[in-house]
């Protein structure tokens, strides 16, 4: 049976990654139903599928959706995703990210929907023991955000062992860039991520960019991250859906397997935008490991997924094209 004949429920599709997943599914002929409470997302990012505004805690609403639509699989991206906020309001993170996911899983179970793709994070690893980080590295998240995501992963693992439920958990490294159409992209409020902040500085919307620490044990002293294009992340969700047809479950890192320092990102933004970007060096941000780079071999071998965007300038240019439109 072709999966595309059924509906895919995408939670959080008004958000940055979710909107790209939703677009790709649509481009590939899938029909989607989009659930988002717009707490962080934007309705104008939902240009495809049927949009339902609502919360995952709203059991009645979820039941009505599963009754109304022939939902084949759920791609679950709706979550709170700010590390800093999670340290300030841990309960909010455990409730939203764990408890509401459990609610969704309960209702899926009632309706016998047993394919699930979960948006996880490199934050489940905490301080890495070695670089690159493979899926078998120890899982020691150091903030409530990473911990709440790991709690869901643990639940999924137990659930899949005890039933015919299958899942794919995708541990994203640093999502970046925007769709080449520039109609969707990254737009958080407040923005905390490096690339959009640097682009804001290039566009004169910020005076300067603060480099959080230049005394890390890296080649230039600033933190190194694995930035991967959001469309490559979206493709991995599609591969995940195909993988679920094998009735198996697994966990995959998503990264390009290469890192760039904060200073290199700023240089690339200067090159792409043609603007000089003023910088200051500030204290290290709490909970920032020096280097996070994915070992992506498992996704390559099993999911047959490989990042198409490898050039950081190209990734940043796609982000810039969207960013300019934000005004
Ligand atoms: N960063 C920075 N200045 C900023 C925002 C971020 O130096 O204004 C650094 C941050 O400390 C980290 C890297 O940029 O080393 C990527 O941060 P981001 O928040 O984009 O993603 P994270 O790695 O935290 O998921």
């Amino acid at each position: 049976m072709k999966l595309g004949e059924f509906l895919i429920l995408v939670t959080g599709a008004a958000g940055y990654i979710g909107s790209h997943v939703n677009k790709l599914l649509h481009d590939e002929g899938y029909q989607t139903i989009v659930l988002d409470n717009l707490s962080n997302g934007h309705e104008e990012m939902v240009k495809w599928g049927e949009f339902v505004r609502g919360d995952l805690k709203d059991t009645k609403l979820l039941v009505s959706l599963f009754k109304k639509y022939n939902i084949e699989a759920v791609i679950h991206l709706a979550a709170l995703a700010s590390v800093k906020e999670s340290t300030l309001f841990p309960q909010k993170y455990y409730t939203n990210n764990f408890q509401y996911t459990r609610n969704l899983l309960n209702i899926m179970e009632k309706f016998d929907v047993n394919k699930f793709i979960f948006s996880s994070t490199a934050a489940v690893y905490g301080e890495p023991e070695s670089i690159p980080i493979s899926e078998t590295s120890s899982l020691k998240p150091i903030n409530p955000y990473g911990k709440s995501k790991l709690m869901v992963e643990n639940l999924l693992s137990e659930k899949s062992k005890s039933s015919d439920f299958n899942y794919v958990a995708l541990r994203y490294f640093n999502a970046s860039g925007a769709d080449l159409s520039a109609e969707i992209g990254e737009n958080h409020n407040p923005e905390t991520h490096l690339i959009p902040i640097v682009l804001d500085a290039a566009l004169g919307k910020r005076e300067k960019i603060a480099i959080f620490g230049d005394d890390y044990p890296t080649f230039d002293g600033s933190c190194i991250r694995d930035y991967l294009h959001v469309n490559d992340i979206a493709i991995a969700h599609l591969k995940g859906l195909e993988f679920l047809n094998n009735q198996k479950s697994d966990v995959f890192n998503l990264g390009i397997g290469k890192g760039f320092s904060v200073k290199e990102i700023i240089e690339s933004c200067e090159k792409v935008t043609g603007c000089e970007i003023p910088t200051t060096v500030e204290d290290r941000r709490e909970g920032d490991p020096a280097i996070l780079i994915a070992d992506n071999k498992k996704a390559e071998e099993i999911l047959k997924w490989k990042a198409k965007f490898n050039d950081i300038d190209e990734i940043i240019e796609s982000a810039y094209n969207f960013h300019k439109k934000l005004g």
Side-chain angles (χ1 to χ4, degrees), residues 83 173-175 186 192-198 206 209-213 216 222-225 227 262 266 284-285 288-290 292:
V83 169
F173 281 64
N174 288 59
E186 186 167 16
T192 60
H193 293 109
L194 181 65
I195 294 174
I197 288 182
V198 180
R206 283 176 197 257
I209 167 86
I211 299 169
F212 297 146
Y216 283 95
S222 66
C223 284
I224 293 178
R225 295 288 180 271
Y227 296 90
V262 172
I266 297 168
R284 290 179 175 197
R285 195 172 65 176
D288 265 347
L292 292 176

Side-chain angles (χ1 to χ4, degrees), residues 40-54:
N40 289 308
H42 308 274
E43 191 168 352
E44 61 275 16
M45 298 273 244
V46 188
K47 300 180 198 288
W48 310 272
E50 179 150 350
F51 176 56
V52 178
R53 182 173 183 174

Side-chain angles (χ1 to χ4, degrees), residues 162-194:
S162 61
S163 67
D164 59 0
F165 170 85
N166 287 114
Y167 75 98
V168 165
L170 300 172
R171 293 178 182 154
Y172 315 146
F173 281 64
N174 288 59
S176 47
D179 188 62
L180 300 185
S181 66
E183 57 186 340
I184 49 177
E186 186 167 16
N187 182 14
H188 299 111
N189 192 14
E191 190 53 80
T192 60
H193 293 109
L194 181 65

Side-chain angles (χ1 to χ4, degrees), residues 48-307:
W48 310 272
E50 179 150 350
F51 176 56
V52 178
R53 182 173 183 174
D55 271 316
L56 287 167
K57 67 176 174 209
D58 188 344
T59 304
K60 259 195 192 159
L61 173 69
L62 290 180
V63 167
S64 74
L65 290 181
F66 280 89
K67 265 193 187 153
K68 184 171 173 193
Y69 298 103
N70 190 10
I71 294 170
E72 164 80 354
V74 176
I75 300 183
H76 177 45
L77 299 113
L80 297 175
S82 156
V83 169
K84 187 164 183 208
E85 189 192 36
S86 82
T87 60
L88 299 173
F89 307 104
Q91 202 171 335
K92 192 172 155 188
Y93 273 66
Y94 291 113
T95 305
N96 271 274
N97 294 358
F98 178 70
Q99 200 171 313
Y100 295 169
T101 302
R102 201 178 52 181
N103 196 37
L104 173 63
L105 290 168
N106 286 345
I107 290 155
M108 284 176 65
E109 195 171 290
K110 278 204 183 94
F111 287 85
D112 215 16
V113 177
N114 51 26
K115 288 177 180 161
F116 193 71
I117 302 210
F118 178 56
S119 148
S120 191
T121 167
V124 295
Y125 295 111
E127 277 289 344
E129 286 156 352
S130 58
I131 297 291
I133 306 169
S134 83
E135 290 82 351
T136 53
S137 305
S138 55
L139 300 169
K140 292 182 190 152
I142 53 171
N143 50 61
Y145 167 61
K147 287 178 188 169
S148 66
K149 289 280 182 175
L150 183 57
M151 282 168 75
V152 176
E153 279 200 23
N154 289 337
L155 171 59
L156 295 173
S157 166
E158 300 299 337
K159 188 172 159 63
S160 68
K161 283 179 201 149
S162 61
S163 67
D164 59 0
F165 170 85
N166 287 114
Y167 75 98
V168 165
L170 300 172
R171 293 178 182 154
Y172 315 146
F173 281 64
N174 288 59
S176 47
D179 188 62
L180 300 185
S181 66
E183 57 186 340
I184 49 177
E186 186 167 16
N187 182 14
H188 299 111
N189 192 14
E191 190 53 80
T192 60
H193 293 109
L194 181 65
I195 294 174
I197 288 182
V198 180
L199 291 175
D200 270 351
L203 289 167
K205 288 197 265 174
R206 283 176 197 257
E207 234 177 82
K208 57 191 179 201
I209 167 86
I211 299 169
F212 297 146
D214 71 347
D215 55 354
Y216 283 95
T218 59
F219 77 96
D220 67 7
S222 66
C223 284
I224 293 178
R225 295 288 180 271
D226 184 332
Y227 296 90
L228 82 157
H229 196 278
V230 64
N231 276 351
D232 280 323
I233 296 183
I235 292 169
H237 290 74
L238 219 70
K239 301 269 185 193
L241 281 178
E242 287 161 16
F243 175 84
L244 287 176
N245 284 335
N246 306 323
Q247 266 119 45
K248 283 190 195 157
S249 296
D250 218 330
V251 174
F252 300 97
N253 281 342
L254 295 186
I256 65 169
K258 195 162 75 180
F260 292 92
S261 73
V262 172
K263 289 179 186 171
E264 283 179 311
I265 293 294
I266 297 168
E267 271 166 31
S268 170
C269 288
E270 287 186 324
K271 192 164 135 195
V272 166
T273 63
C275 304
E276 206 175 303
I277 299 164
T279 60
T280 54
V281 176
E282 293 191 7
D283 289 345
R284 290 179 175 197
R285 195 172 65 176
E286 205 188 317
D288 265 347
I291 308 177
L292 292 176
I293 297 173
D295 177 339
N296 56 13
K297 280 191 216 76
K298 188 175 170 189
E300 225 176 287
E301 277 160 26
I302 300 178
L303 281 187
K304 312 289 176 219
W305 173 87
K306 199 169 166 43

